Amino acid sequence: MDIQKIGIVGAGQMGNGIAHVCALAGYDVVLNDISQDMLDKALALIDRNLERQVSRGKISDEEKQSAMARISTTLVLTELGPSDLIIEAATERETVKQAIFEDLLPHLKPETILTSNTSSISITRLASRTDRPEKFMGFHFMNPVPVMQLVELIRGIATDEATFAACKAVVDKLGKTAATAEDFPAFIVNRILMPMINEAVYTLYEGVGNVRSIDESLKLGANHPMGPLELADFIGLDTCLAIMNVLHDGLADTKYRPCPLLTKYVEAGWLGRKTERGFYDYRGDTPVPTR
């Protein structure tokens, strides 16, 4: 299938990044959200990020202007109906995602491919609630989307080869690298990454090290560009907890039990950078550890 028009559901952290790279690659993009404020902020952020690429000589000003011109926005979900490919990038809650696909279905073309940017939810289960499980895939971008090279492509049990090939062609056109993952809880990246973050929180919880020493140990001792607790704040502690719960519930193994301290931070509303407090306090000029 020749994909030319891409509909994106959700203008948040992931959705605006996906819109950025798709428009820059030459696709017509329709970006949807339930909030006009979110759509306005997304367009402003895309413009700033493209301008940064211009200033670094990675793209021309003409390419930036063309990319911005390819992005339109809408508050009406059903206006994504004529898209060739839809990428759902809404909040990481299965009931929300199911409701979005349910509302979209009557307005889609028969050949439209549906995908989800979910970081952990079963693709097979999401697909089974639609009228086209064979045309449904996981399309998992990494954050921040314009910078990170990897896209996980996850087949549900019913996904056909033509759908996979079409999505792989999109990844190639974006200049990114596809990794094929099977549909098991959290796929590849988060299956490995989240237990590491969770173990770092246990290390803090048990008093083995403080926030600073844990992050410095992994940065300098394992050559990680960012410490695990700093990374958790960047991702969002609520997202980390949600993925750990998916792993724990889906694999029924106690090694995936979320650390009680992670749960406590989420209960406090200390979700990381987006709330200005997590394992670090971001309200001052420099981040300060909270433990």
Side-chain angles (χ1 to χ4, degrees):
M1 179 181 176
D2 182 29
I3 291 171
Q4 296 181 342
K5 187 173 185 179
I6 297 178
I8 299 167
V9 184
Q13 196 173 32
M14 299 303 294
N16 74 66
I18 297 167
H20 172 144
V21 297
C22 289
L24 195 56
Y27 292 106
D28 292 324
V29 173
V30 184
L31 182 60
N32 161 260
D33 201 279
I34 56 173
S35 159
Q36 185 62 50
D37 185 51
M38 285 295 291
L39 290 171
D40 293 342
K41 284 179 178 175
L43 283 178
L45 183 59
I46 293 167
D47 188 81
R48 285 200 305 275
N49 288 338
L50 285 167
E51 187 56 43
R52 188 179 294 122
Q53 288 179 293
V54 172
S55 67
R56 291 176 179 170
K58 294 189 174 180
I59 63 172
S60 67
D61 187 61
E62 187 181 349
E63 286 173 313
K64 176 202 163 180
Q65 300 305 330
S66 296
M68 289 301 298
R70 289 189 198 101
I71 303 172
S72 60
T73 63
T74 180
L75 292 168
V76 183
L77 179 66
T78 55
E79 288 185 5
L80 271 57
S83 304
D84 302 314
L85 167 68
I86 287 176
I87 303 172
E88 172 275 314
T91 189
E92 190 71 353
R93 290 212 305 274
E94 189 165 348
T95 51
V96 172
K97 294 178 186 297
Q98 285 175 346
I100 287 166
F101 290 125
E102 202 170 286
D103 289 346
L104 274 170
L105 288 178
H107 306 276
L108 300 178
K109 300 185 295 184
E111 65 271 21
T112 298
I113 294 172
L114 291 176
T115 68
S116 176
N117 184 57
T118 179
S119 52
S120 61
I121 296 167
S122 167
I123 297 303
T124 298
R125 200 162 60 236
L126 286 173
S128 72
R129 301 288 294 269
T130 74
D131 63 355
R132 61 194 71 204
E134 72 287 349
K135 292 186 178 300
F136 196 109
M137 277 202 74
F139 210 130
H140 183 215
F141 289 84
M142 305 294 125
N143 185 35
V145 179
V147 175
M148 302 296 278
Q149 280 299 110
L150 184 74
V151 179
E152 284 183 315
L153 290 180
I154 306 104
R155 302 178 202 238
I157 197 167
T159 306
D160 64 25
E161 191 57 40
T163 298
F164 175 81
C167 290
K168 172 68 164 57
V170 171
V171 176
D172 292 342
K173 191 172 175 180
L174 296 180
K176 296 190 181 293
T177 301
T180 307
E182 293 301 315
D183 185 24
F184 290 99
F187 320 129
I188 295 172
V189 173
N190 284 319
R191 172 75 178 264
I192 296 166
L193 176 64
M194 286 303 159
M196 184 196 76
I197 287 174
N198 194 51
E199 195 61 31
V201 183
Y202 266 114
T203 306
L204 178 65
Y205 177 61
E206 293 168 5
V208 179
N210 60 31
V211 169
R212 186 87 68 195
S213 63
I214 291 166
D215 277 351
E216 288 298 311
S217 294
L218 268 293
K219 282 195 283 190
L220 302 178
N223 207 27
H224 290 190
M226 196 182 284
L229 301 176
E230 185 186 1
L231 180 57
D233 276 357
F234 181 75
I235 294 167
L237 304 193
D238 51 341
T239 301
C240 294
L241 180 60
I243 295 169
M244 285 310 301
N245 280 324
V246 166
L247 281 166
H248 192 227
D249 296 344
L251 298 170
D253 192 325
T254 55
K255 74 179 180 179
Y256 299 114
R257 183 171 68 99
C259 179
L261 184 61
L262 178 60
T263 302
K264 191 63 65 182
Y265 268 75
V266 173
E267 287 174 345
W270 291 18
L271 308 181
R273 284 183 176 270
K274 61 188 172 185
T275 59
E276 297 194 312
R277 276 194 290 189
F279 292 114
Y280 292 85
D281 188 326
Y282 299 93
R283 293 174 297 175
D285 292 337
T286 55
V288 177
T290 53
R291 288 179 91 85

